[in-house]
Amino acid sequence: MHIRKIKRTTKYTLLIITLMILFNLAFGVILSKAALKAMRAQIDERMLDISNTAAAMINGDDLARMTADDLGSPEYQRVMENLTYFQDNIELSYIYCIMQVGEREFVFGVDPTIENPGEFGSPIVYTDALYNASKGKADVDDEPYEDDWGKFYSAYSPVYDSNGDVAGIVAVDFEARWYQNRIKQLGTITIGFTVLAFVFSLGLSVIIATRFRKSFMHLYKKMNDLSVGIETLVHEVAPESETEDYTSLASIESKNGFGDAVDLLGDKINVMQARLAKQIEVIRSHAYVDSLTGLDNRTSYEEYVNRLEKKLIDGLRISFSVVVFDINQLKAVNDTFGHEYGDMVIVSVAKDISRSFEGHRIYRIGGDEFVCILEDVDPSVNIERIREEVDKKNLESPILHDSSFEIGVSIGCATYDPAVDYGYMEVFNRADTAMYADKRAFYQTHQDRRNKESEHK
C-alpha cells in the first residue's frame, strides 16, 4: 500500500512538472516576441525623436525658398548650423535635409557631412517612410535600403513653413548593422533565458522522477546560481530596475531547512516568472512612454488612433475632440539659451498640458508638438486653463528668468462631426490648421510688440 502511494505521488508529480515545462516553453516564446517587438518600437521612437526635434528647429520658410544658388547664404547657413549640431553631438550616421521635386521624387538639400556630402539636387533613394513624411507624417523605414554611402534605416520628419505646408524633410540615417545589432542583443538575452529555463525544467523532471534527495539539494543550490544569472541578464536590459526584493528572494530558504525541496524549487520558479513578467512591463513602458516628458509617445498615439479608426469603420457611434499643441519660440530658446533650456521648456509645457487636461489621453508626437484626444468633452475650458498657466509663467519667468522673452503655446482644436469627417485624420487636420492659424497670430502679435518697443527706444 505504501509503495502504491509513492508511485501515485510520483506520477502526479511528473504530470505537474511536464505541464511546467510546457508553460516555460510557451512563456519563453511569448517573452521573446514581446521583448523584440518592444525593443524595435523603442529604437524607432528614439530615431523619430531625433528627426522630429531637428525638424522643429529648422525655419521652414527658409527651407521652402532654398535653391542650389543659395549655397552659403544666411538662410542656408542657419539650416546647416542646426543640422551640424545634431551631426556632432548625437549618435547617428548622417543627418540632412531632403527636398521634394515630384510626387515620389526627392533630392538632397542641405547636407552637413564633411566627407562626401550629398550634392544639392542629386536624387535620394525612395522609401515608403520618406513618402509618408512628405505627406506630413513622420515615419521610420521598416526595411533597410542601400545607397552610395552604405546600408541604412532612416527616420524622416516633415519641416513646415509658416502656412503649415511641408517645406522639406529632415532625414536621420542609422547604419543597418547598428540597428540590427541592437535587436539581436536583446534577442540573444531572451532566447538564452528561454533555453536555460527549458533545460532547467527538463532536468527538474528527471530529478523528481528518480527521487534522489541529494540531487534535489544540488539542484536547489544551482537554482540560486540561476536566479543570480537571470538577474544579471535583466540588469543588462534595464540597469535602472529595482533589484533588492528579487535578489533577497534568490536565497530563499525554508525555516525547517530543506524539508520539502519541491516546494522550495517551486517558490524560486514563481519568483523568476514574476520577475520576467515585470520586465516585460518595463520594456513595454520604454516603448510607449516619452523619456523626456513622461507622457505617452508617438507609438502609443498611433496605436490608439488605429483603434479609434477601427471603431469608426465598424460604424460605432462615438464622439471625440482633438486638441493640437505646438510650442512657440522653441528654436529661439535653443539658439539663445541652449538646448538644455529648450528641454526645460518642453517639460514645463508638458506639465501644464497634463494639469489642464488631466484624465484625458495626452501624447508627445514630435519635438515640440503634443496632441490630446478627449472623448465626448468640450475642450474649451481646458484650453482656457492652459493659456492661463502659460501666461502666468511668462509673468513669473520661472524657467528662462527673462521676462522679455515670451513663451507661447499655439493651440487648435476640432470635434468629430460624422456629417463631414470620414475618419480621425480629418478631425486632426482641422485642429492642426487651427493651431497654425493660432501660431501665425502669436508671431504677428509678438512682432508688432517688438516693433513698438523699438520705436520707443
Side-chain angles (χ1 to χ4, degrees):
M1 187 70 176
H2 179 67
I3 294 175
R4 289 180 181 176
K5 183 177 180 181
I6 292 176
K7 288 183 179 180
R8 190 182 302 116
T9 302
T10 301
K11 182 174 65 176
Y12 291 154
T13 302
L14 287 173
L15 177 61
I16 293 172
I17 296 303
T18 301
L19 293 175
M20 185 181 68
I21 291 174
L22 295 176
F23 171 80
N24 279 335
L25 283 173
F27 186 83
V29 171
I30 293 171
L31 172 65
S32 299
K33 290 183 177 180
L36 290 172
K37 180 180 178 181
M39 187 65 178
R40 175 153 189 168
Q42 185 179 1
I43 294 174
D44 288 353
E45 181 64 26
R46 175 182 179 273
M47 294 167 63
L48 277 175
D49 194 50
I50 294 172
S51 62
N52 286 335
T53 302
M57 293 173 58
I58 293 175
N59 188 311
D61 293 330
D62 289 346
L63 193 61
R65 294 190 296 267
M66 196 170 297
T67 66
D69 296 332
D70 294 320
L71 300 183
S73 67
E75 293 82 3
Y76 181 90
Q77 289 302 119
R78 284 197 293 268
V79 176
M80 177 70 78
E81 288 172 2
N82 285 325
L83 295 178
T84 300
Y85 171 84
F86 284 86
Q87 183 75 64
D88 294 342
N89 295 280
I90 305 296
E91 183 187 0
L92 51 82
S93 296
Y94 300 103
I95 183 170
Y96 48 93
C97 280
I98 296 174
M99 315 296 287
Q100 185 171 11
V101 295
E103 174 63 18
R104 296 176 184 269
E105 297 180 17
F106 303 89
V107 298
F108 276 103
V110 181
D111 185 353
T113 306
I114 296 177
E115 297 183 4
N116 192 25
E119 183 180 351
F120 195 104
S122 59
I124 291 282
V125 174
Y126 171 86
T127 69
D128 290 339
L130 173 57
Y131 181 74
N132 290 339
S134 72
K135 298 301 181 182
K137 180 184 177 183
D139 204 355
V140 178
D141 290 321
D142 290 330
E143 299 293 336
Y145 68 89
E146 191 166 357
D147 59 17
D148 294 340
W149 289 266
K151 193 172 185 180
F152 304 98
Y153 286 87
S154 294
Y156 307 95
S157 295
V159 178
Y160 296 96
D161 60 22
S162 57
N163 295 321
D165 298 323
V166 177
I169 300 164
V170 169
V172 178
D173 293 349
F174 293 83
E175 285 190 1
R177 184 173 55 184
W178 171 88
Y179 187 101
Q180 291 161 353
N181 283 345
R182 294 292 296 272
I183 299 294
K184 184 179 179 181
Q185 180 182 17
L186 181 62
T188 300
I189 291 173
T190 53
I191 292 172
F193 169 74
T194 302
V195 172
L196 284 175
F198 175 76
V199 171
F200 164 74
S201 299
L202 185 61
L204 184 61
S205 300
V206 173
I207 293 170
I208 291 177
T210 57
R211 293 173 297 148
F212 287 123
R213 183 178 178 82
K214 181 178 179 180
S215 297
F216 268 127
M217 297 306 100
H218 178 71
L219 180 61
Y220 179 79
K221 293 176 182 179
K222 289 293 184 183
M223 191 66 181
N224 277 334
D225 295 337
L226 181 59
S227 298
V228 174
I230 291 172
E231 181 57 28
T232 301
L233 293 178
V234 170
H235 185 72
E236 289 182 6
V237 177
E240 72 281 3
S241 299
E242 295 292 336
T243 60
E244 181 178 349
D245 292 341
Y246 177 76
T247 51
S248 66
L249 286 170
S251 58
I252 183 172
E253 293 182 3
S254 171
K255 293 180 180 179
N256 299 322
F258 296 100
D260 192 340
V262 176
D263 288 344
L264 290 172
L265 289 170
D267 289 341
K268 288 189 177 292
I269 291 171
N270 289 335
V271 168
M272 286 191 294
Q273 290 174 343
R275 176 62 173 166
L276 288 169
K278 182 179 179 181
Q279 186 59 29
I280 289 178
E281 291 301 317
V282 171
I283 294 173
R284 181 177 177 82
S285 69
H286 286 172
Y288 290 92
V289 176
D290 177 62
S291 58
L292 179 62
T293 63
L295 298 176
D296 288 347
N297 61 18
R298 173 176 283 275
T299 301
S300 179
Y301 165 76
E302 291 179 348
E303 287 196 1
Y304 180 73
V305 169
N306 289 337
R307 294 198 299 270
L308 198 60
E309 290 278 18
K310 187 177 186 304
K311 291 180 181 179
L312 295 174
I313 292 173
D314 291 341
L316 298 179
R317 300 184 64 180
I318 60 175
S319 59
F320 63 91
S321 295
V322 178
V323 185
V324 178
F325 311 85
D326 193 276
I327 302 174
N328 298 327
Q329 301 215 105
L330 180 62
K331 181 179 181 299
V333 171
N334 287 325
D335 293 344
T336 306
F337 300 97
H339 292 274
E340 180 180 0
Y341 279 86
D343 287 348
M344 290 169 64
V345 170
I346 292 174
V347 171
S348 176
V349 171
K351 289 180 179 178
D352 292 337
I353 296 174
S354 297
R355 284 193 295 269
S356 302
F357 289 81
E358 185 176 3
H360 301 291
R361 292 180 173 84
I362 306 169
Y363 308 89
R364 182 188 178 206
I365 64 172
D368 60 347
E369 190 172 2
F370 302 84
V371 171
C372 179
I373 303 177
L374 306 86
E375 295 182 2
D376 197 21
V377 174
D378 180 1
S380 56
V381 175
N382 307 81
I383 292 174
E384 184 62 26
R385 191 180 304 153
I386 188 174
R387 291 193 190 278
E388 292 174 356
E389 288 279 346
V390 173
D391 289 342
K392 180 179 178 182
K393 283 192 175 179
N394 279 322
L395 291 175
E396 298 173 352
S397 299
I399 298 176
L400 303 178
H401 303 288
D402 185 349
S403 58
S404 65
F405 206 101
E406 182 179 348
I407 299 299
V409 179
S410 295
I411 304 173
C413 68
T415 300
Y416 172 66
D417 183 357
V420 298
D421 296 322
Y422 293 103
Y424 170 84
M425 287 308 300
E426 282 76 13
V427 186
F428 173 86
N429 288 336
R430 286 194 285 112
D432 200 45
T433 300
M435 182 274 291
Y436 275 104
D438 191 32
K439 181 179 285 289
R440 287 193 293 273
F442 171 87
Y443 281 109
Q444 182 63 49
T445 302
H446 193 72
Q447 186 61 44
D448 291 345
R449 186 179 306 150
R450 286 186 174 180
N451 292 337
K452 291 179 180 179
E453 290 174 354
S454 299
E455 292 174 1
H456 288 299
K457 290 182 179 180

